Amino acid sequence: DYRIYFARLSASGAKIGSEIRLTSSYSVYPSLTWMGSEFGLGWSDRRDGNMEIYFSRLSTQGAKIGNDVRLSFNPSYSDHVSLAWSGDRYGVSWYDNRDGNYEIYFNGIEADGSGVGQELRVTTDAANSAYPSLAGNGSEFGVSWREMRDGNEEIYFARVSGDGIK
């Protein structure tokens, strides 16, 4: 099974200390972001029987702060997390197939890991939308993704507020 580990590196790229195992079940596609005083980590995890999206806060040393937060509740498949910091909260984007094809979803999380917002379905096209990439700009998020709505793969973009409004 795959697990997610954390390792600290020096400015020259040398590993500092030992690796820290962060997950204990099949876990893939991690996304790590720095928020100024700690890290946020998002990933896909199979601990509940199918792939779901989880979030955790990490200290500068890589120790988990609080409990893991489950963000997706899809009876099928949720995957490929992209995590970003906007300046006052985390944003998490992923894709899943709960609606019969792959769509992009977004959720906001308060800085302390609480207050998970209302989930937003970013895409609504009948074509598959996948592989989101999220960035924060200090007040909102930008999400880009790959989609086949024109019969070939193209890149699309949307702005999302920290409160999850497109």
Side-chain angles (χ1 to χ4, degrees), residues 20-37:
I20 300 169
R21 189 172 81 180
L22 299 175
T23 61
S24 58
S25 59
Y26 182 91
S27 307
V28 293
Y29 306 117
S31 181
L32 185 70
T33 193
W34 176 250
M35 58 82 79
S37 61

Side-chain angles (χ1 to χ4, degrees), residues 54-71:
Y54 283 84
F55 169 83
S56 190
R57 296 166 50 224
L58 306 175
S59 73
T60 57
Q61 305 299 309
K64 282 192 177 181
I65 303 169
N67 295 321
D68 297 344
V69 178
R70 183 174 169 180
L71 298 177

Side-chain angles (χ1 to χ4, degrees), residues 31-154:
S31 181
L32 185 70
T33 193
W34 176 250
M35 58 82 79
S37 61
E38 63 188 43
F39 294 98
L41 174 69
W43 72 96
S44 301
D45 195 300
R46 198 179 281 162
R47 73 179 75 171
D48 298 314
N50 62 313
M51 294 300 274
E52 295 295 347
I53 305 304
Y54 283 84
F55 169 83
S56 190
R57 296 166 50 224
L58 306 175
S59 73
T60 57
Q61 305 299 309
K64 282 192 177 181
I65 303 169
N67 295 321
D68 297 344
V69 178
R70 183 174 169 180
L71 298 177
S72 67
F73 295 88
N74 176 20
S76 186
Y77 184 87
S78 301
D79 213 356
H80 281 83
V81 176
S82 185
L83 180 70
W85 175 252
S86 73
D88 68 346
R89 69 183 60 201
Y90 295 98
V92 183
S93 189
W94 68 92
Y95 70 88
D96 71 39
N97 63 351
R98 72 182 84 169
D99 298 310
N101 67 314
Y102 291 112
E103 298 291 349
I104 305 297
Y105 291 85
F106 171 89
N107 210 327
I109 305 167
E110 297 298 326
D112 66 0
S114 69
V116 175
Q118 180 67 33
E119 185 179 272
L120 168 69
R121 181 176 166 181
V122 176
T123 58
T124 57
D125 196 78
N128 284 332
S129 305
Y131 304 107
S133 181
L134 193 65
N137 72 358
S139 62
E140 63 185 7
F141 297 93
V143 60
S144 61
W145 65 93
R146 182 175 85 184
E147 191 171 281
M148 301 267 306
R149 73 174 76 162
D150 297 327
N152 61 331
E153 291 185 333
E154 301 286 349

